[in-house]
PDB file of all heavy atoms in Angstrom:
ATOM      1  N   GLY A  20       0.802  -1.217   0.000  1.00 96.00           N
ATOM      2  CA  GLY A  20       0.000   0.000   0.000  1.00 96.00           C
ATOM      3  C   GLY A  20       0.834   1.267   0.000  1.00 96.00           C
ATOM      4  O   GLY A  20       0.463   2.268  -0.618  1.00 96.00           O
ATOM      5  N   LEU A  21       1.974   1.231   0.689  1.00 96.00           N
ATOM      6  CA  LEU A  21       2.865   2.398   0.704  1.00 96.00           C
ATOM      7  C   LEU A  21       3.558   2.585  -0.637  1.00 96.00           C
ATOM      8  O   LEU A  21       3.889   3.710  -1.018  1.00 96.00           O
ATOM      9  CB  LEU A  21       3.904   2.254   1.816  1.00 96.00           C
ATOM     10  CG  LEU A  21       3.373   2.358   3.244  1.00 96.00           C
ATOM     11  CD1 LEU A  21       4.471   2.019   4.253  1.00 96.00           C
ATOM     12  CD2 LEU A  21       2.823   3.753   3.525  1.00 96.00           C
ATOM     13  N   GLY A  22       3.825   1.498  -1.332  1.00 96.00           N
ATOM     14  CA  GLY A  22       4.404   1.583  -2.667  1.00 96.00           C
ATOM     15  C   GLY A  22       5.910   1.432  -2.698  1.00 96.00           C
ATOM     16  O   GLY A  22       6.602   1.533  -1.678  1.00 96.00           O
ATOM     17  N   ALA A  23       6.423   1.221  -3.902  1.00 95.00           N
ATOM     18  CA  ALA A  23       7.836   0.911  -4.085  1.00 95.00           C
ATOM     19  C   ALA A  23       8.747   2.065  -3.702  1.00 95.00           C
ATOM     20  O   ALA A  23       9.826   1.859  -3.126  1.00 95.00           O
ATOM     21  CB  ALA A  23       8.095   0.511  -5.538  1.00 95.00           C
ATOM     22  N   GLU A  24       8.363   3.295  -4.001  1.00 94.00           N
ATOM     23  CA  GLU A  24       9.245   4.426  -3.730  1.00 94.00           C
ATOM     24  C   GLU A  24       9.431   4.646  -2.229  1.00 94.00           C
ATOM     25  O   GLU A  24      10.548   4.898  -1.761  1.00 94.00           O
ATOM     26  CB  GLU A  24       8.709   5.697  -4.398  1.00 94.00           C
ATOM     27  CG  GLU A  24       8.750   5.658  -5.913  1.00 94.00           C
ATOM     28  CD  GLU A  24      10.128   5.309  -6.453  1.00 94.00           C
ATOM     29  OE1 GLU A  24      11.117   5.914  -5.973  1.00 94.00           O
ATOM     30  OE2 GLU A  24      10.225   4.424  -7.325  1.00 94.00           O
ATOM     31  N   VAL A  25       8.342   4.556  -1.468  1.00 95.00           N
ATOM     32  CA  VAL A  25       8.445   4.686  -0.012  1.00 95.00           C
ATOM     33  C   VAL A  25       9.256   3.527   0.549  1.00 95.00           C
ATOM     34  O   VAL A  25      10.116   3.712   1.424  1.00 95.00           O
ATOM     35  CB  VAL A  25       7.048   4.737   0.642  1.00 95.00           C
ATOM     36  CG1 VAL A  25       7.149   4.629   2.162  1.00 95.00           C
ATOM     37  CG2 VAL A  25       6.342   6.023   0.252  1.00 95.00           C
ATOM     38  N   PHE A  26       9.009   2.325   0.058  1.00 94.00           N
ATOM     39  CA  PHE A  26       9.733   1.135   0.503  1.00 94.00           C
ATOM     40  C   PHE A  26      11.238   1.316   0.304  1.00 94.00           C
ATOM     41  O   PHE A  26      12.043   1.050   1.212  1.00 94.00           O
ATOM     42  CB  PHE A  26       9.222  -0.078  -0.267  1.00 94.00           C
ATOM     43  CG  PHE A  26       9.840  -1.387   0.128  1.00 94.00           C
ATOM     44  CD1 PHE A  26       9.351  -2.097   1.215  1.00 94.00           C
ATOM     45  CD2 PHE A  26      10.880  -1.926  -0.609  1.00 94.00           C
ATOM     46  CE1 PHE A  26       9.910  -3.319   1.569  1.00 94.00           C
ATOM     47  CE2 PHE A  26      11.446  -3.147  -0.262  1.00 94.00           C
ATOM     48  CZ  PHE A  26      10.965  -3.845   0.831  1.00 94.00           C
ATOM     49  N   LYS A  27      11.637   1.788  -0.873  1.00 94.00           N
ATOM     50  CA  LYS A  27      13.062   1.983  -1.152  1.00 94.00           C
ATOM     51  C   LYS A  27      13.651   3.077  -0.268  1.00 94.00           C
ATOM     52  O   LYS A  27      14.761   2.925   0.262  1.00 94.00           O
ATOM     53  CB  LYS A  27      13.260   2.324  -2.631  1.00 94.00           C
ATOM     54  CG  LYS A  27      13.008   1.160  -3.568  1.00 94.00           C
ATOM     55  CD  LYS A  27      13.402   1.483  -4.994  1.00 94.00           C
ATOM     56  CE  LYS A  27      12.480   2.497  -5.634  1.00 94.00           C
ATOM     57  NZ  LYS A  27      12.823   2.752  -7.056  1.00 94.00           N
ATOM     58  N   ALA A  28      12.943   4.181  -0.101  1.00 95.00           N
ATOM     59  CA  ALA A  28      13.435   5.276   0.730  1.00 95.00           C
ATOM     60  C   ALA A  28      13.650   4.815   2.171  1.00 95.00           C
ATOM     61  O   ALA A  28      14.659   5.164   2.814  1.00 95.00           O
ATOM     62  CB  ALA A  28      12.457   6.451   0.694  1.00 95.00           C
ATOM     63  N   GLN A  29      12.716   4.030   2.691  1.00 95.00           N
ATOM     64  CA  GLN A  29      12.843   3.557   4.068  1.00 95.00           C
ATOM     65  C   GLN A  29      14.000   2.579   4.210  1.00 95.00           C
ATOM     66  O   GLN A  29      14.739   2.623   5.208  1.00 95.00           O
ATOM     67  CB  GLN A  29      11.532   2.916   4.512  1.00 95.00           C
ATOM     68  CG  GLN A  29      10.403   3.926   4.666  1.00 95.00           C
ATOM     69  CD  GLN A  29       9.106   3.289   5.126  1.00 95.00           C
ATOM     70  OE1 GLN A  29       8.954   2.064   5.107  1.00 95.00           O
ATOM     71  NE2 GLN A  29       8.163   4.103   5.536  1.00 95.00           N
ATOM     72  N   GLN A  30      14.192   1.710   3.234  1.00 94.00           N
ATOM     73  CA  GLN A  30      15.328   0.795   3.280  1.00 94.00           C
ATOM     74  C   GLN A  30      16.649   1.560   3.285  1.00 94.00           C
ATOM     75  O   GLN A  30      17.580   1.220   4.027  1.00 94.00           O
ATOM     76  CB  GLN A  30      15.279  -0.167   2.086  1.00 94.00           C
ATOM     77  CG  GLN A  30      14.170  -1.195   2.132  1.00 94.00           C
ATOM     78  CD  GLN A  30      14.416  -2.302   3.139  1.00 94.00           C
ATOM     79  OE1 GLN A  30      15.496  -2.426   3.702  1.00 94.00           O
ATOM     80  NE2 GLN A  30      13.403  -3.118   3.365  1.00 94.00           N
ATOM     81  N   LEU A  31      16.745   2.604   2.473  1.00 93.00           N
ATOM     82  CA  LEU A  31      17.965   3.410   2.439  1.00 93.00           C
ATOM     83  C   LEU A  31      18.207   4.104   3.777  1.00 93.00           C
ATOM     84  O   LEU A  31      19.346   4.197   4.253  1.00 93.00           O
ATOM     85  CB  LEU A  31      17.881   4.437   1.312  1.00 93.00           C
ATOM     86  CG  LEU A  31      17.900   3.871  -0.116  1.00 93.00           C
ATOM     87  CD1 LEU A  31      17.583   4.964  -1.130  1.00 93.00           C
ATOM     88  CD2 LEU A  31      19.254   3.236  -0.418  1.00 93.00           C
ATOM     89  N   ALA A  32      17.137   4.602   4.385  1.00 95.00           N
ATOM     90  CA  ALA A  32      17.264   5.262   5.687  1.00 95.00           C
ATOM     91  C   ALA A  32      17.764   4.291   6.753  1.00 95.00           C
ATOM     92  O   ALA A  32      18.630   4.621   7.566  1.00 95.00           O
ATOM     93  CB  ALA A  32      15.916   5.856   6.102  1.00 95.00           C
ATOM     94  N   VAL A  33      17.225   3.087   6.750  1.00 95.00           N
ATOM     95  CA  VAL A  33      17.588   2.095   7.755  1.00 95.00           C
ATOM     96  C   VAL A  33      19.040   1.635   7.591  1.00 95.00           C
ATOM     97  O   VAL A  33      19.774   1.492   8.570  1.00 95.00           O
ATOM     98  CB  VAL A  33      16.622   0.895   7.684  1.00 95.00           C
ATOM     99  CG1 VAL A  33      17.150  -0.295   8.446  1.00 95.00           C
ATOM    100  CG2 VAL A  33      15.260   1.292   8.234  1.00 95.00           C
ATOM    101  N   LEU A  34      19.471   1.422   6.364  1.00 93.00           N
ATOM    102  CA  LEU A  34      20.826   0.896   6.183  1.00 93.00           C
ATOM    103  C   LEU A  34      21.894   1.941   6.496  1.00 93.00           C
ATOM    104  O   LEU A  34      23.035   1.593   6.821  1.00 93.00           O
ATOM    105  CB  LEU A  34      21.003   0.310   4.784  1.00 93.00           C
ATOM    106  CG  LEU A  34      21.068   1.208   3.546  1.00 93.00           C
ATOM    107  CD1 LEU A  34      22.479   1.696   3.267  1.00 93.00           C
ATOM    108  CD2 LEU A  34      20.554   0.439   2.320  1.00 93.00           C
ATOM    109  N   ASP A  35      21.540   3.227   6.444  1.00 93.00           N
ATOM    110  CA  ASP A  35      22.508   4.296   6.730  1.00 93.00           C
ATOM    111  C   ASP A  35      22.296   4.952   8.095  1.00 93.00           C
ATOM    112  O   ASP A  35      22.848   6.018   8.366  1.00 93.00           O
ATOM    113  CB  ASP A  35      22.438   5.379   5.641  1.00 93.00           C
ATOM    114  CG  ASP A  35      23.172   4.962   4.375  1.00 93.00           C
ATOM    115  OD1 ASP A  35      24.087   4.129   4.478  1.00 93.00           O
ATOM    116  OD2 ASP A  35      22.811   5.453   3.294  1.00 93.00           O
ATOM    117  N   ARG A  36      21.539   4.320   8.975  1.00 96.00           N
ATOM    118  CA  ARG A  36      21.257   4.944  10.271  1.00 96.00           C
ATOM    119  C   ARG A  36      22.518   5.043  11.129  1.00 96.00           C
ATOM    120  O   ARG A  36      23.444   4.237  11.006  1.00 96.00           O
ATOM    121  CB  ARG A  36      20.174   4.164  11.024  1.00 96.00           C
ATOM    122  CG  ARG A  36      20.592   2.783  11.494  1.00 96.00           C
ATOM    123  CD  ARG A  36      19.414   2.083  12.140  1.00 96.00           C
ATOM    124  NE  ARG A  36      19.754   0.812  12.735  1.00 96.00           N
ATOM    125  CZ  ARG A  36      19.716  -0.353  12.129  1.00 96.00           C
ATOM    126  NH1 ARG A  36      19.385  -0.417  10.844  1.00 96.00           N
ATOM    127  NH2 ARG A  36      20.015  -1.472  12.779  1.00 96.00           N
ATOM    128  N   ARG A  37      22.515   6.028  12.009  1.00 95.00           N
ATOM    129  CA  ARG A  37      23.652   6.273  12.907  1.00 95.00           C
ATOM    130  C   ARG A  37      23.616   5.331  14.103  1.00 95.00           C
ATOM    131  O   ARG A  37      22.555   4.906  14.542  1.00 95.00           O
ATOM    132  CB  ARG A  37      23.622   7.711  13.429  1.00 95.00           C
ATOM    133  CG  ARG A  37      23.922   8.774  12.413  1.00 95.00           C
ATOM    134  CD  ARG A  37      23.713  10.151  13.014  1.00 95.00           C
ATOM    135  NE  ARG A  37      24.445  10.342  14.259  1.00 95.00           N
ATOM    136  CZ  ARG A  37      24.268  11.380  15.079  1.00 95.00           C
ATOM    137  NH1 ARG A  37      23.356  12.295  14.786  1.00 95.00           N
ATOM    138  NH2 ARG A  37      24.974  11.488  16.178  1.00 95.00           N
ATOM    139  N   ASP A  38      24.776   5.067  14.643  1.00 97.00           N
ATOM    140  CA  ASP A  38      24.880   4.368  15.924  1.00 97.00           C
ATOM    141  C   ASP A  38      24.619   5.386  17.036  1.00 97.00           C
ATOM    142  O   ASP A  38      25.284   6.415  17.113  1.00 97.00           O
ATOM    143  CB  ASP A  38      26.283   3.775  16.066  1.00 97.00           C
ATOM    144  CG  ASP A  38      26.423   2.893  17.291  1.00 97.00           C
ATOM    145  OD1 ASP A  38      26.102   3.373  18.407  1.00 97.00           O
ATOM    146  OD2 ASP A  38      26.853   1.742  17.150  1.00 97.00           O
ATOM    147  N   ARG A  39      23.634   5.118  17.893  1.00 97.00           N
ATOM    148  CA  ARG A  39      23.287   6.059  18.961  1.00 97.00           C
ATOM    149  C   ARG A  39      23.653   5.513  20.344  1.00 97.00           C
ATOM    150  O   ARG A  39      23.246   6.084  21.363  1.00 97.00           O
ATOM    151  CB  ARG A  39      21.775   6.371  18.941  1.00 97.00           C
ATOM    152  CG  ARG A  39      21.171   6.677  17.593  1.00 97.00           C
ATOM    153  CD  ARG A  39      21.923   7.722  16.783  1.00 97.00           C
ATOM    154  NE  ARG A  39      21.879   9.039  17.325  1.00 97.00           N
ATOM    155  CZ  ARG A  39      21.081  10.028  16.904  1.00 97.00           C
ATOM    156  NH1 ARG A  39      20.235   9.810  15.936  1.00 97.00           N
ATOM    157  NH2 ARG A  39      21.147  11.230  17.442  1.00 97.00           N
ATOM    158  N   THR A  40      24.395   4.416  20.400  1.00 97.00           N
ATOM    159  CA  THR A  40      24.647   3.766  21.686  1.00 97.00           C
ATOM    160  C   THR A  40      25.407   4.656  22.659  1.00 97.00           C
ATOM    161  O   THR A  40      25.222   4.532  23.877  1.00 97.00           O
ATOM    162  CB  THR A  40      25.412   2.444  21.496  1.00 97.00           C
ATOM    163  OG1 THR A  40      26.605   2.679  20.732  1.00 97.00           O
ATOM    164  CG2 THR A  40      24.552   1.427  20.761  1.00 97.00           C
ATOM    165  N   SER A  41      26.245   5.539  22.152  1.00 97.00           N
ATOM    166  CA  SER A  41      27.010   6.414  23.046  1.00 97.00           C
ATOM    167  C   SER A  41      26.204   7.633  23.496  1.00 97.00           C
ATOM    168  O   SER A  41      26.673   8.391  24.359  1.00 97.00           O
ATOM    169  CB  SER A  41      28.297   6.883  22.352  1.00 97.00           C
ATOM    170  OG  SER A  41      27.987   7.697  21.223  1.00 97.00           O
ATOM    171  N   GLU A  42      25.018   7.828  22.936  1.00 97.00           N
ATOM    172  CA  GLU A  42      24.214   9.014  23.226  1.00 97.00           C
ATOM    173  C   GLU A  42      22.993   8.745  24.096  1.00 97.00           C
ATOM    174  O   GLU A  42      22.454   9.661  24.722  1.00 97.00           O
ATOM    175  CB  GLU A  42      23.738   9.660  21.923  1.00 97.00           C
ATOM    176  CG  GLU A  42      24.848  10.042  20.958  1.00 97.00           C
ATOM    177  CD  GLU A  42      24.290  10.480  19.621  1.00 97.00           C
ATOM    178  OE1 GLU A  42      23.763  11.605  19.549  1.00 97.00           O
ATOM    179  OE2 GLU A  42      24.342   9.680  18.661  1.00 97.00           O
ATOM    180  N   ILE A  43      22.526   7.493  24.135  1.00 97.00           N
ATOM    181  CA  ILE A  43      21.225   7.243  24.750  1.00 97.00           C
ATOM    182  C   ILE A  43      21.229   7.420  26.269  1.00 97.00           C
ATOM    183  O   ILE A  43      20.150   7.551  26.868  1.00 97.00           O
ATOM    184  CB  ILE A  43      20.670   5.858  24.370  1.00 97.00           C
ATOM    185  CG1 ILE A  43      21.636   4.749  24.769  1.00 97.00           C
ATOM    186  CG2 ILE A  43      20.380   5.812  22.878  1.00 97.00           C
ATOM    187  CD1 ILE A  43      21.072   3.348  24.486  1.00 97.00           C
ATOM    188  N   ALA A  44      22.387   7.469  26.872  1.00 97.00           N
ATOM    189  CA  ALA A  44      22.435   7.743  28.318  1.00 97.00           C
ATOM    190  C   ALA A  44      21.938   9.147  28.637  1.00 97.00           C
ATOM    191  O   ALA A  44      21.613   9.444  29.798  1.00 97.00           O
ATOM    192  CB  ALA A  44      23.847   7.552  28.849  1.00 97.00           C
ATOM    193  N   LYS A  45      21.835  10.010  27.632  1.00 96.00           N
ATOM    194  CA  LYS A  45      21.334  11.371  27.825  1.00 96.00           C
ATOM    195  C   LYS A  45      19.816  11.417  27.959  1.00 96.00           C
ATOM    196  O   LYS A  45      19.266  12.439  28.386  1.00 96.00           O
ATOM    197  CB  LYS A  45      21.740  12.256  26.636  1.00 96.00           C
ATOM    198  CG  LYS A  45      23.237  12.363  26.385  1.00 96.00           C
ATOM    199  CD  LYS A  45      23.487  13.134  25.096  1.00 96.00           C
ATOM    200  CE  LYS A  45      24.955  13.139  24.715  1.00 96.00           C
ATOM    201  NZ  LYS A  45      25.170  13.817  23.411  1.00 96.00           N
ATOM    202  N   ILE A  46      19.127  10.356  27.578  1.00 97.00           N
ATOM    203  CA  ILE A  46      17.667  10.350  27.622  1.00 97.00           C
ATOM    204  C   ILE A  46      17.208  10.383  29.069  1.00 97.00           C
ATOM    205  O   ILE A  46      17.565   9.509  29.865  1.00 97.00           O
ATOM    206  CB  ILE A  46      17.104   9.117  26.885  1.00 97.00           C
ATOM    207  CG1 ILE A  46      17.462   9.200  25.390  1.00 97.00           C
ATOM    208  CG2 ILE A  46      15.594   9.019  27.068  1.00 97.00           C
ATOM    209  CD1 ILE A  46      17.120   7.952  24.601  1.00 97.00           C
ATOM    210  N   ALA A  47      16.406  11.378  29.417  1.00 95.00           N
ATOM    211  CA  ALA A  47      16.074  11.621  30.825  1.00 95.00           C
ATOM    212  C   ALA A  47      14.587  11.516  31.115  1.00 95.00           C
ATOM    213  O   ALA A  47      14.121  12.043  32.128  1.00 95.00           O
ATOM    214  CB  ALA A  47      16.593  12.993  31.244  1.00 95.00           C
ATOM    215  N   VAL A  48      13.834  10.862  30.243  1.00 96.00           N
ATOM    216  CA  VAL A  48      12.394  10.683  30.473  1.00 96.00           C
ATOM    217  C   VAL A  48      12.110   9.199  30.708  1.00 96.00           C
ATOM    218  O   VAL A  48      12.912   8.339  30.315  1.00 96.00           O
ATOM    219  CB  VAL A  48      11.565  11.190  29.274  1.00 96.00           C
ATOM    220  CG1 VAL A  48      11.711  12.700  29.132  1.00 96.00           C
ATOM    221  CG2 VAL A  48      11.967  10.467  27.985  1.00 96.00           C
ATOM    222  N   PRO A  49      10.985   8.888  31.358  1.00 97.00           N
ATOM    223  CA  PRO A  49      10.631   7.472  31.535  1.00 97.00           C
ATOM    224  C   PRO A  49      10.595   6.760  30.185  1.00 97.00           C
ATOM    225  O   PRO A  49       9.947   7.214  29.247  1.00 97.00           O
ATOM    226  CB  PRO A  49       9.245   7.544  32.179  1.00 97.00           C
ATOM    227  CG  PRO A  49       9.220   8.864  32.884  1.00 97.00           C
ATOM    228  CD  PRO A  49       9.997   9.787  32.006  1.00 97.00           C
ATOM    229  N   THR A  50      11.308   5.652  30.113  1.00 98.00           N
ATOM    230  CA  THR A  50      11.461   4.943  28.847  1.00 98.00           C
ATOM    231  C   THR A  50      11.037   3.488  28.988  1.00 98.00           C
ATOM    232  O   THR A  50      11.504   2.780  29.885  1.00 98.00           O
ATOM    233  CB  THR A  50      12.924   5.014  28.361  1.00 98.00           C
ATOM    234  OG1 THR A  50      13.304   6.391  28.202  1.00 98.00           O
ATOM    235  CG2 THR A  50      13.088   4.309  27.022  1.00 98.00           C
ATOM    236  N   LEU A  51      10.154   3.075  28.113  1.00 98.00           N
ATOM    237  CA  LEU A  51       9.701   1.692  28.052  1.00 98.00           C
ATOM    238  C   LEU A  51      10.368   1.014  26.865  1.00 98.00           C
ATOM    239  O   LEU A  51      10.361   1.547  25.760  1.00 98.00           O
ATOM    240  CB  LEU A  51       8.180   1.641  27.885  1.00 98.00           C
ATOM    241  CG  LEU A  51       7.568   0.272  27.586  1.00 98.00           C
ATOM    242  CD1 LEU A  51       7.704  -0.652  28.782  1.00 98.00           C
ATOM    243  CD2 LEU A  51       6.108   0.412  27.163  1.00 98.00           C
ATOM    244  N   ILE A  52      10.950  -0.146  27.105  1.00 98.00           N
ATOM    245  CA  ILE A  52      11.543  -0.937  26.033  1.00 98.00           C
ATOM    246  C   ILE A  52      10.825  -2.277  25.981  1.00 98.00           C
ATOM    247  O   ILE A  52      10.733  -2.991  26.985  1.00 98.00           O
ATOM    248  CB  ILE A  52      13.055  -1.138  26.259  1.00 98.00           C
ATOM    249  CG1 ILE A  52      13.763   0.224  26.269  1.00 98.00           C
ATOM    250  CG2 ILE A  52      13.652  -2.040  25.186  1.00 98.00           C
ATOM    251  CD1 ILE A  52      15.221   0.157  26.661  1.00 98.00           C
ATOM    252  N   VAL A  53      10.272  -2.600  24.826  1.00 98.00           N
ATOM    253  CA  VAL A  53       9.541  -3.848  24.636  1.00 98.00           C
ATOM    254  C   VAL A  53      10.275  -4.685  23.598  1.00 98.00           C
ATOM    255  O   VAL A  53      10.636  -4.193  22.524  1.00 98.00           O
ATOM    256  CB  VAL A  53       8.092  -3.581  24.170  1.00 98.00           C
ATOM    257  CG1 VAL A  53       7.381  -4.898  23.854  1.00 98.00           C
ATOM    258  CG2 VAL A  53       7.321  -2.803  25.232  1.00 98.00           C
ATOM    259  N   ALA A  54      10.499  -5.948  23.930  1.00 98.00           N
ATOM    260  CA  ALA A  54      11.187  -6.864  23.027  1.00 98.00           C
ATOM    261  C   ALA A  54      10.425  -8.172  22.951  1.00 98.00           C
ATOM    262  O   ALA A  54       9.733  -8.566  23.891  1.00 98.00           O
ATOM    263  CB  ALA A  54      12.609  -7.118  23.523  1.00 98.00           C
TER     264      ALA A  54
END
């Protein structure tokens, strides 16, 4: 339903995402993690 162009754009965004592991300790609000 989203279509090929959105699908490709999202794949490109995901493969080039930044590593945020060194930054997430700055998050100061209640955080829920579900796995």
Side-chain angles (χ1 to χ4, degrees):
L21 291 173
E24 293 307 313
V25 170
F26 182 84
K27 289 188 290 183
Q29 291 181 347
Q30 290 286 350
L31 292 171
V33 166
L34 71 87
D35 281 335
R36 68 184 186 270
R37 290 174 53 191
D38 187 306
R39 314 310 292 259
T40 54
S41 65
E42 303 172 75
I43 58 176
K45 301 174 186 176
I46 296 172
V48 294
T50 301
L51 171 68
I52 299 172
V53 175

